[in-house]
Amino acid sequence: MIRTLVTGGAGFIGSHLCERLLQQGHEVLCVDNFFTGQRSNISHLLRELRFELLRHDVTFPLYVEVDAIYNLACPASPIHYQFDPVQTTKTSVLGAINLLGLAKRLKIPILQASTSEVYGDPEVHPQTEAYWGHVNPIGPRSCYDEGKRCAETLFFDYHRQHGIDIKVARIFNTYGPRMHPSDGRVVSNFIVQALRNEPITIYGQGLQTRSFCFVDDMVDALIKLMGTASGVTGPLNLGNPVEFSMLQLAELVIDMTGSRSTLTFMPLPQDDPQQRRPDINQAKDVLGWMPSTQLTEGLQRTVQYFKDQLQLGG
């Protein structure tokens, strides 16, 4: 039986990953410091005999015996990662060092949940893995963007220097049940505001674009990447290549929720990317993967989750 460590396992994507690994017969060690992870995300897993929860901060070394590591530990929404930017950078950099050290000692594969934010505000569209990015190293988003870029550097240096079996996934915008209602991300923001019939906040003119991948599809991709041969390192873009403007998303959410919300326009945050869409040809070729959940289907499931969370029924 494979014993798998998932750091950030009580987070949005991490909790879905823990659940899927259990379904596949793994023993799962879920590690989280609960800065942004929520115990409610994994409470239904606590009765599983093959599930173990450990409260731990990955900026400190971790001494456990496992067969594989998924490193998802890091606040991922601007509100959360800008709350304590020094700690955000430490989580990415020291967390990578500590977990790579563990993988080196145990001689096991390790997957890094990197991010599309390594591309910054891209000058190339769509973004391919060969693009080096356009990132402000001293802005308010830098703690996350540069922390993740440094983590990728560490992963590839450990791979070259110590022969560690690494997998690097560049995760693009992902949404679904268990998103935090106040995480400041566009999908959760729009849905919560719409369900409360509050004005929907649009930054800039709403013409900036994003591509939205449902969490089930993302978990499929992460598990497929971990299952590849040891020479397959990535980085691989993982996300949905279908692009939507913020205005299109807002109108779709208002329509799906039957909301009375109006749109309110605010200044664009500093360094906010204007376009974000992954080129996923490598993921198609290497993993045989592409997302299958349409935005309307995924939004319906996400809207219902937030209705339940906000106790709005329906």
Side-chain angles (χ1 to χ4, degrees):
M1 186 179 295
I2 297 173
R3 181 167 167 80
T4 302
L5 167 62
V6 180
T7 67
F12 161 48
I13 296 177
S15 63
H16 286 275
L17 177 61
C18 288
E19 191 171 57
R20 184 76 64 83
L21 291 170
L22 286 169
Q23 290 170 358
Q24 294 185 350
H26 292 240
E27 286 188 1
V28 175
L29 173 58
C30 169
V31 168
D32 208 296
N33 69 349
F34 293 102
F35 174 60
T36 57
Q38 300 178 89
R39 195 173 293 272
S40 60
N41 286 343
I42 43 88
S43 58
H44 64 295
L45 303 178
L46 294 173
R47 58 181 173 268
E48 295 279 349
L49 295 179
R50 289 179 285 107
F51 182 78
E52 183 180 354
L53 174 63
L54 175 63
R55 186 170 193 140
H56 179 81
D57 187 325
V58 297
T59 61
F60 297 94
L62 184 62
Y63 302 102
V64 294
E65 303 297 319
V66 292
D67 302 303
I69 302 169
Y70 290 84
N71 181 31
L72 279 68
C74 190
S77 73
I79 286 177
H80 291 148
Y81 67 63
Q82 291 176 18
F83 175 78
D84 188 345
V86 172
Q87 184 64 23
T88 296
T89 304
K90 284 182 176 180
T91 300
S92 287
V93 177
L94 296 179
I97 291 170
N98 288 329
L99 291 164
L100 284 162
L102 179 62
K104 177 187 172 186
R105 179 176 71 82
L106 297 175
K107 299 180 174 61
I108 59 173
I110 178 170
L111 183 147
Q112 166 69 0
S114 191
T115 172
S116 59
E117 298 295 338
V118 300
Y119 299 121
D121 187 4
E123 298 172 315
V124 172
H125 192 75
Q127 293 80 59
T128 69
E129 291 88 349
Y131 178 51
W132 290 355
H134 177 228
V135 178
N136 178 359
I138 59 171
R141 302 170 68 100
S142 307
C143 58
Y144 185 68
D145 301 0
E146 296 288 37
K148 288 289 192 177
R149 285 162 67 95
C150 185
E152 286 196 14
T153 300
L154 285 162
F155 266 70
F156 278 90
D157 283 339
Y158 266 78
H159 172 67
R160 286 185 287 258
Q161 189 170 337
H162 301 296
I164 304 300
D165 181 5
I166 65 164
K167 317 288 181 184
V168 176
R170 290 179 176 165
I171 297 175
F172 282 67
N173 292 62
T174 304
Y175 72 100
R178 300 184 200 151
M179 295 184 81
H180 196 289
S182 59
D183 66 6
R185 298 190 215 192
V186 63
V187 172
S188 50
N189 265 8
F190 284 6
I191 290 175
V192 170
Q193 289 171 337
L195 289 174
R196 290 173 170 165
N197 295 303
E198 298 171 351
I200 288 183
T201 307
I202 303 284
Y203 293 99
Q205 296 180 320
L207 302 180
Q208 65 270 39
T209 62
R210 297 292 185 271
S211 306
F212 301 103
C213 185
F214 191 63
V215 64
D216 289 356
D217 291 328
M218 183 57 63
V219 168
D220 288 342
L222 294 173
I223 291 175
K224 283 179 178 290
L225 178 54
M226 179 62 94
T228 55
S230 60
V232 179
T233 61
L236 283 187
N237 287 340
L238 301 181
N240 194 317
V242 182
E243 197 172 5
F244 294 88
S245 73
M246 298 302 94
L247 283 175
Q248 287 176 309
L249 179 66
E251 290 164 0
L252 182 57
V253 168
I254 288 172
D255 181 61
M256 292 183 67
T257 56
S259 176
R260 300 188 301 276
S261 293
T262 57
L263 304 182
T264 183
F265 293 84
M266 303 287 287
L268 200 63
Q270 182 180 338
D271 302 325
D272 191 54
Q274 289 299 303
Q275 293 179 303
R276 184 61 59 74
R277 174 162 67 93
D279 181 312
I280 62 168
N281 284 320
Q282 284 201 46
K284 290 178 183 177
D285 293 342
V286 174
L287 307 180
W289 171 88
M290 63 180 299
S292 60
T293 307
Q294 298 296 317
L295 183 61
T296 50
E297 177 191 346
L299 282 178
Q300 285 172 349
R301 293 168 63 180
T302 310
V303 166
Q304 187 58 55
Y305 169 80
F306 279 114
K307 280 184 177 179
D308 296 340
Q309 289 295 297
L310 301 172
Q311 297 183 335
L312 296 172

